[in-house]
Amino acid sequence: MSPTTQAPRRRPLPAPSGPAPAAPLRRARRRPGSQQLAAWAFLTPVALYLVLFYAYPLYRNLDLSLRNYTVRSFVQGNAPFTGLKNYRIVFDDPTFAPALLHTVVFTAVCLLFQYAIGLALAVFFTQHFRLSATLRALFLVPWLLPLIVSASTWSWMLNSDSGIVNAALHAAGIDPVNWLTAPTWSLTSVIIANIWIGVPFNLVVLYSGLQSIPDVLYEAAALDGAGPWRRFWSITFPLLRPVSAITLLLGLVYTLKVFDIIWIMTKGGPADSSTTFATWSYQLGFGNLLPAFGPGAAVGNLLVVAALVFGLIYLRVQRRQELS
């Protein structure tokens, strides 16, 4: 029997005493397609909302203004295309010029007084005196009330016979005023009511803008001997310009389409003395036995174009300010 050779056995190496080295981490790679799908998933609800509640109504209103819709064709959907005929009807209507003038006056006066009163109250409440928070909350009441309640309240207050305003005028020895039934006072009445309703919005937005102005600027101006008016015109008003611009723009868009207050208080009368584009559009489309859907939609589109023009002007001004 021949001797066999055996390979020498190797002793196992001792295990390291420290912890085992961690395996190298692999970075999770995201596919570009998954990021795009996630982005579209977030954008889809917003896009659907804009299409359903903004784009489609605007399209339908534009279609109404370009066709001769009647009650039957409105239901059946076979109205003939008329082009710009409805717009010519609106421009040739004798109500167009007074309604345009009333819309401009109503919007300009309301914006001016709402902004001025709201700014004055916002500056007043920055003093942080006792009960300032309570008073600010009370000033929000007109903004929180439903418009039908506010308009009905003003209708009662300005009533010619039993209104509290005429009662106060009578107590002061002044003859009563037919606020809602006189053509010379009807537009003034709805302007007063709308100013009262819009002041709280301006107060809230402008007050929040004032909080962002550093107090150091006022302290430095006071050390230089600047008085309250000087500090307001040199510090407060210039630094509040961006907030003022968006406040005026939102107020403009809201005031252009004010309908509830005017319709509840005066219904655009008497003799169309308080008719604006908003109330005129409603009268044409729904206020008659034979509604004129096309001209009513055309008047509504004029309001949309006006709001769009001022919105573009605001964006242009903001872009210039950013570049400067």
Side-chain angles (χ1 to χ4, degrees), residues 114 117 121 125 134-154 157 192-204 254 260-261:
Q114 286 175 355
I117 298 174
L121 291 174
F125 283 119
T134 305
L135 290 178
R136 286 203 312 270
L138 292 177
F139 271 103
L140 293 179
V141 172
W143 192 28
L144 300 177
L145 288 176
L147 288 178
I148 188 173
V149 175
S150 300
S152 300
T153 303
W154 276 101
M157 293 174 59
I192 294 173
N194 191 65
I195 290 173
W196 180 78
I197 294 173
V199 164
F201 170 76
N202 288 260
L203 168 61
V204 171
Y254 170 78
D260 315 67
I261 301 169

Side-chain angles (χ1 to χ4, degrees), residues 60-247:
R60 287 293 299 162
N61 202 60
L62 181 62
D63 182 69
L64 281 173
S65 66
L66 298 177
R67 297 180 182 273
N68 184 19
Y69 273 96
T70 61
V71 177
R72 176 177 296 180
S73 61
F74 187 82
V75 176
Q76 296 178 353
N78 55 353
F81 182 80
T82 58
L84 300 178
K85 180 181 178 180
N86 291 322
Y87 291 91
R88 290 195 297 268
I89 293 174
V90 168
F91 292 143
D92 295 337
D93 196 299
T95 310
F96 175 78
L100 176 61
L101 177 61
H102 298 158
T103 303
V104 173
V105 172
F106 179 82
T107 303
V109 175
C110 287
L111 283 181
L112 176 61
F113 280 91
Q114 286 175 355
Y115 177 79
I117 298 174
L119 180 58
L121 291 174
V123 174
F124 173 72
F125 283 119
T126 54
Q127 306 301 320
H128 299 292
F129 55 91
R130 184 178 297 180
L131 299 179
S132 62
T134 305
L135 290 178
R136 286 203 312 270
L138 292 177
F139 271 103
L140 293 179
V141 172
W143 192 28
L144 300 177
L145 288 176
L147 288 178
I148 188 173
V149 175
S150 300
S152 300
T153 303
W154 276 101
S155 297
W156 170 77
M157 293 174 59
L158 298 176
N159 188 275
S160 301
D161 300 325
S162 59
I164 189 174
V165 176
N166 276 346
L169 293 178
H170 178 73
I174 303 175
D175 294 334
V177 178
N178 296 323
W179 297 97
L180 304 177
T181 57
T184 55
W185 287 101
S186 59
L187 185 62
T188 304
S189 303
V190 295
I191 287 176
I192 294 173
N194 191 65
I195 290 173
W196 180 78
I197 294 173
V199 164
F201 170 76
N202 288 260
L203 168 61
V204 171
V205 179
L206 295 175
Y207 180 81
S208 63
L210 289 174
Q211 300 303 306
S212 62
I213 300 177
D215 295 334
V216 180
L217 299 178
Y218 294 106
E219 295 174 358
L223 292 176
D224 292 338
W229 280 106
R230 184 64 178 175
R231 292 197 298 268
F232 175 80
W233 290 111
S234 300
I235 299 176
T236 304
F237 195 74
L239 295 180
L240 204 61
R241 191 173 300 168
V243 180
S244 299
I246 190 62
T247 304

Side-chain angles (χ1 to χ4, degrees), residues 26-32 34-35:
R26 294 182 179 180
R27 296 181 179 178
R29 296 181 180 179
R30 295 183 178 180
R31 299 178 181 178
S34 62
Q35 295 181 355

Side-chain angles (χ1 to χ4, degrees), residues 229-297:
W229 280 106
R230 184 64 178 175
R231 292 197 298 268
F232 175 80
W233 290 111
S234 300
I235 299 176
T236 304
F237 195 74
L239 295 180
L240 204 61
R241 191 173 300 168
V243 180
S244 299
I246 190 62
T247 304
L248 291 174
L249 176 64
L250 294 177
L252 173 68
V253 174
Y254 170 78
T255 309
L256 281 175
K257 63 182 183 64
V258 167
F259 164 77
D260 315 67
I261 301 169
I262 302 175
W263 190 257
I264 293 173
M265 294 181 64
T266 63
K267 288 185 170 57
D272 295 333
S273 59
S274 59
T275 297
T276 61
F277 276 175
T279 59
W280 188 30
S281 176
Y282 178 83
Q283 287 176 345
L284 291 173
F286 304 98
N288 301 316
L289 294 177
L290 295 177
F293 294 115

